[in-house]
Amino acid sequence: MPGHDGFRLHNDQGLGPTRPQLAERNPKQPIEAVQFGTGLLPLEHYELLAQSSGFQSQFVARYEQGPDVGDHRESDCDHQSDLTEWNGAFPERHFDDRQRYFLRGTDALQNHLQIRTDGTLRQTPALHHPGDQSRIPMRALPASFVLIGMGLSVPALAADKVELSVDVSKTGAKIDRNIFGQFAEHLGRGVYEGIWVGPDSKIPNTRGIRNDVVAALKALKVPNVRWPGGCFADEYHWRKGIDAQRTVTLNPNWGGVIEPNTFGTDEYMDFLNQIGSDAYVSVNVGSGTPQEAAEWLEYMTTAQPTTLAKERVANGHAAPYKVPYLGIGNESWDCGGNMTPDYYLSQMKTYSRFVRNFNPAQQDKQQMLKIAVGPGGDGPRWTEWTETVMKAYQHHTWSWDINGLSMHNYTVVKWPPSYASVGFGETEYSQILKSTLEMDGLIRKHSAIMDMYDPDKKVALVVDEWGGWYAPLPGSNPGFLVQQNSIRDAILAALNLNIFARHADRVRMANIAQMINVLQAMIMTDKEKMVLTPTYYVFKMYMPFQDATFVPVAFDAGTYTHGNISLPRVDAIAAKDANGKLWLEITNLDPNRAVEIEANLVGVTAKSAAGETLTAPKVDSVNSFDAPNTVVPNPVSAKVQSGKLALKLEPKSVTVVSVEQ
Ligand code: AHR
């Protein structure tokens, strides 16, 4: 957002003192052992070590083993001088490209790539001869398929076929349906026009809320909607948005436009009721008071005949509302008040203590979960924030508690957002997808800190703002954050949802930004017209994963390369739903080549499979009001034979199939 000046993910690569310290060593020496900082490595792990004798820098990537396998990459360039060497040695200047260098890099680097498992150093022949196919043989790394699938891929002529191995007997955590949450801020045409048209509008509506949007969202089973912001939340005063007479104010964060307050608490609750979703209310910590927030919760949740409850009843809502999720501030390190971690902590404790939920149905079971402000990047500033909140949580007393730590991470590449959302080519396609995959490292980094203070994972990591953030559409109000939504966004969404699913034990809630007409929206409207975006269809296709149980998928992703960007060619997750049905999602990132998938299904007697795929003619294909069906799901045929599932993925596609047993 405006004001994010240089501290976001891409400008802050964690080179500061809080990143794991690697052992000091002579860079000319072969790497035999590497020591990492404490608390960040599981007992079982693989390490991939790359050394180049031709350069002074040494590189290390490490990969964890387990159902949520992924990558965590660090370079051992401890000093700026090393970084300079590094940059001097390679054509790109993006330090965050480091994980790719040894993979697509020079022969010198590949010749020194070593793989060490469980303390035994060995060399991988395929990687020793860059001239040959240079793919790590799947059998050579039995527990590392997914590791490869999550980003370690080798520059080679990728095979036509990608093999997956799905073992249904090895299940992981529940994929909380709340990771499919959404975010509706008073911003641009998100709430006004997108949701609220008013009861007198010619656009068909129910009590002012447009019917077409409600029908589309209801079909998605949206688990929760975060409201009223965002930055807006820390300037929102709820009393101005209740009762018959609304106070007209301004929205200084987003274009300085009039805020009519016609969509307030009761309208939000009505909207949730119409679409069948839960409330995630962000209270004002920045410019409000604990008293104001406490009274808001009393207005919403008490069943007792207090003055505030009577006011709610007079506004037509006799029964108390349920508020399952409470956000205590938003980005308090920036637009939410530019607080230090310690200052926020003391504010948060006060809000946690006094902002109570009185709903009788939310006292024992279904208690309101409180979500504290968390990090917005991966550098020292953010690790310090996570550390401060989680350290305090470890010693929290009866008088305050939190159940979630928020994290915000947009795919933006650099601030201010300048990538076009439509009318771009393969270079921008691959750059954005590369950037979005950094979500995994960010989650790992903050989860590792959380693990130190909350090993039982009681506190969820709540990624309550994520998505692509591009340049405003030409001609639109820049404060309204209007952008198009293409097949690239569909793939971006799938990759992020897969990352969340792989971290399901810690990431139990997420909110895409935003729901309608703003940023990576589900829906776009123009007066009476409405169009569903490619991202909407991804969320629709992923519905079977809501509350399903994660099933690990092992695979060698192969590589999709464009220019100097190398990405995993495919990504995949699997899950078992409540009825025991197996679901698979497979994304083909490669915009040019189809891929044959052969999935070995273990622990299930598969009879048939069917599903849907979402693809498009071009990397920037969108659905417009005139052509709303350019990017829509189509049936995909899959064959099952001798326990193997075979299907072909179109280029740049997202596919979900279910397996009949
Ligand atoms: O989603 C737009 C803005 O991005 C939100 O208001 C803020 O929290 C974030 O910086």
Side-chain angles (χ1 to χ4, degrees):
M1 58 149 303
H4 284 180
D5 48 359
F7 54 76
R8 285 284 189 168
L9 189 60
H10 299 275
N11 294 321
D12 187 344
Q13 290 300 325
L15 292 171
T18 56
R19 80 188 180 87
Q21 292 299 304
L22 303 175
E24 281 193 17
R25 58 182 176 269
N26 178 344
K28 303 270 186 215
Q29 301 267 308
I31 303 170
E32 300 254 335
V34 177
Q35 290 165 12
F36 293 94
T38 54
L40 291 167
L41 270 187
L43 285 177
E44 289 184 302
H45 64 272
Y46 288 96
E47 294 172 2
L48 291 175
L49 311 175
Q51 178 199 14
S52 165
S53 52
F55 309 112
Q56 289 201 348
S57 304
Q58 295 175 328
F59 321 120
V60 56
R62 62 175 194 241
Y63 292 81
E64 298 173 6
Q65 182 184 16
D68 63 341
V69 171
D71 56 9
H72 184 112
R73 312 173 184 101
E74 293 290 341
S75 157
D76 64 349
C77 292
D78 280 326
H79 309 293
Q80 192 59 36
S81 58
D82 286 333
L83 181 57
T84 310
E85 285 286 337
W86 181 300
N87 282 334
F90 294 96
E92 300 92 343
R93 296 195 62 83
H94 300 294
F95 188 62
D96 60 315
D97 276 348
R98 61 190 180 272
Q99 67 270 25
R100 318 275 180 226
Y101 282 147
F102 65 85
L103 302 170
R104 66 160 187 275
T106 63
D107 286 0
L109 278 173
Q110 292 198 3
N111 280 336
H112 286 81
L113 184 67
Q114 298 168 328
I115 295 179
R116 191 165 67 101
T117 61
D118 297 325
T120 314
L121 192 68
R122 66 189 167 104
Q123 299 188 330
T124 305
L127 289 171
H128 258 262
H129 304 289
D132 78 17
Q133 286 307 291
S134 49
R135 288 204 304 137
I136 298 175
M138 290 181 75
R139 303 289 165 246
L141 284 172
S144 66
F145 301 164
V146 181
L147 143 181
I148 298 164
M150 280 312 295
L152 174 60
S153 31
V154 183
L157 294 173
D160 289 334
K161 189 191 277 185
V162 167
E163 292 175 27
L164 312 180
S165 177
V166 185
D167 186 348
V168 183
S169 65
K170 294 197 177 82
T171 50
K174 184 180 87 170
I175 301 169
D176 199 310
R177 64 188 297 259
N178 275 320
I179 69 163
F180 300 93
Q182 301 193 18
F183 174 35
E185 178 168 15
H186 286 234
L187 193 176
R189 298 186 304 109
V191 168
Y192 298 109
E193 294 187 37
I195 297 171
W196 179 258
V197 286
D200 301 330
S201 171
K202 279 191 267 181
I203 298 170
N205 68 83
T206 303
R207 295 178 293 279
I209 295 166
R210 52 190 299 169
N211 294 344
D212 51 355
V213 164
V214 165
L217 292 172
K218 203 171 171 180
L220 274 193
K221 293 200 189 309
V222 181
N224 69 84
V225 182
R226 181 171 180 253
W227 176 85
C231 297
F232 180 84
D234 279 302
E235 292 190 79
Y236 184 61
H237 300 283
W238 68 274
R239 287 216 61 100
K240 299 181 178 175
I242 58 161
D243 301 335
Q245 288 302 314
R246 304 292 165 99
T247 309
V248 176
T249 57
L250 294 171
N251 189 337
N253 278 294
W254 304 118
V257 294
I258 290 283
E259 167 55 59
N261 280 304
T262 41
F263 189 89
T265 306
D266 297 313
E267 290 74 23
Y268 166 62
M269 292 295 183
D270 190 10
F271 170 59
L272 293 180
N273 192 35
Q274 290 190 37
I275 66 169
S277 192
D278 280 343
Y280 175 11
V281 175
S282 288
V283 294
N284 180 343
V285 173
S287 67
T289 62
Q291 182 185 359
E292 181 188 15
E295 287 175 359
W296 193 9
L297 266 285
E298 184 189 322
Y299 173 85
M300 289 190 278
T301 63
T302 189
Q304 309 250 47
T306 67
T307 304
L308 283 170
K310 286 180 183 164
E311 202 171 344
R312 185 192 70 232
V313 175
N315 288 334
H317 309 279
Y321 295 120
K322 277 194 181 161
V323 181
Y325 311 103
L326 185 84
I328 305 180
N330 170 77
E331 298 192 355
S332 305
W333 29 261
D334 189 27
C335 72
N338 215 334
M339 301 172 190
T340 63
D342 285 332
Y343 183 76
Y344 171 73
L345 182 64
S346 107
Q347 295 279 304
M348 182 269 278
K349 286 179 181 173
T350 310
Y351 276 72
S352 171
R353 169 86 183 101
F354 297 115
V355 184
R356 295 184 170 97
N357 186 316
F358 297 102
N359 190 319
Q362 293 193 266
Q363 298 314 302
D364 300 323
K365 292 184 182 165
Q366 300 184 32
Q367 282 191 20
M368 181 173 76
L369 304 183
K370 298 172 187 174
I371 295 150
V373 169
D378 75 346
R381 182 178 181 206
W382 309 116
T383 48
E384 187 195 346
W385 191 282
T386 301
E387 181 108 23
T388 304
V389 175
M390 292 307 297
K391 205 171 183 169
Y393 167 80
Q394 187 182 33
H395 302 294
H396 79 96
T397 62
W398 66 269
S399 59
W400 73 277
D401 197 5
I402 53 168
N403 315 91
L405 183 75
S406 144
M407 182 175 97
H408 290 181
N409 181 39
Y410 286 96
T411 301
V412 65
V413 182
K414 62 179 190 258
W415 295 94
S418 55
Y419 276 63
S421 57
V422 67
F424 56 84
E426 191 174 343
T427 299
E428 295 80 8
Y429 169 87
S430 56
Q431 284 168 343
I432 287 291
L433 295 189
K434 172 174 171 283
S435 170
T436 214
L437 287 171
E438 290 171 6
M439 177 69 90
D440 184 66
L442 195 60
I443 290 173
R444 282 176 186 279
K445 179 161 254 176
H446 291 285
S447 297
I449 300 170
M450 295 174 83
D451 286 348
M452 288 195 276
Y453 302 106
D454 173 31
D456 296 336
K457 301 186 193 291
K458 289 186 176 148
V459 179
L461 187 59
V462 176
V463 190
D464 53 11
E465 286 189 31
W466 68 273
W469 189 330
Y470 312 122
L473 276 186
S476 68
N477 181 335
F480 283 11
L481 311 187
V482 183
Q483 61 190 44
Q484 253 300 356
N485 196 297
S486 66
I487 185 70
R488 180 179 67 182
D489 294 294
I491 291 173
L492 182 157
L495 293 175
N496 279 280
L497 292 170
N498 292 359
I499 291 169
F500 301 153
R502 278 189 279 265
H503 290 284
D505 57 344
R506 181 66 83 177
V507 178
R508 300 196 287 272
M509 191 156 163
N511 298 76
I512 191 167
Q514 296 196 7
M515 203 173 210
I516 306 158
N517 292 333
V518 177
L519 298 177
Q520 188 172 343
M522 299 286 133
I523 295 175
M524 299 177 83
T525 65
D526 180 16
K527 301 187 184 66
E528 75 290 349
K529 288 185 265 186
M530 178 189 84
V531 68
L532 305 176
T533 66
T535 302
Y536 174 92
Y537 288 115
V538 170
F539 272 62
K540 187 112 196 288
M541 291 164 71
Y542 269 73
M543 279 168 55
F545 290 91
Q546 293 197 9
D547 280 346
T549 306
F550 184 82
V551 172
V553 186
F555 60 104
D556 176 344
T559 309
Y560 153 56
T561 302
H562 178 74
N564 52 29
I565 291 192
S566 290
L567 298 172
R569 190 176 170 202
V570 299
D571 188 30
I573 59 161
K576 225 163 48 175
D577 71 16
N579 301 319
K581 189 186 255 193
L582 177 66
W583 293 86
L584 263 131
E585 189 287 326
I586 317 161
T587 304
N588 181 4
L589 285 76
D590 194 320
N592 306 312
R593 290 179 306 169
V595 57
E596 301 284 349
I597 296 291
E598 187 180 283
N600 192 28
L601 307 176
V602 181
V604 65
T605 315
K607 293 209 178 95
S608 62
E612 286 190 315
T613 192
L614 187 72
T615 185
K618 297 190 293 163
V619 286
D620 69 336
S621 293
V622 301
N623 291 334
S624 65
F625 296 111
D626 297 331
N629 297 321
T630 307
V631 194
V632 292
N634 281 303
V636 67
S637 63
K639 279 192 204 131
V640 174
Q641 214 169 16
S642 317
K644 286 188 192 242
L645 177 147
L647 78 159
K648 183 177 163 195
L649 304 180
E650 292 303 317
K652 49 178 160 12
S653 61
V654 176
T655 302
V656 173
V657 291
S658 65
V659 175
E660 293 299 333
Q661 299 162 41

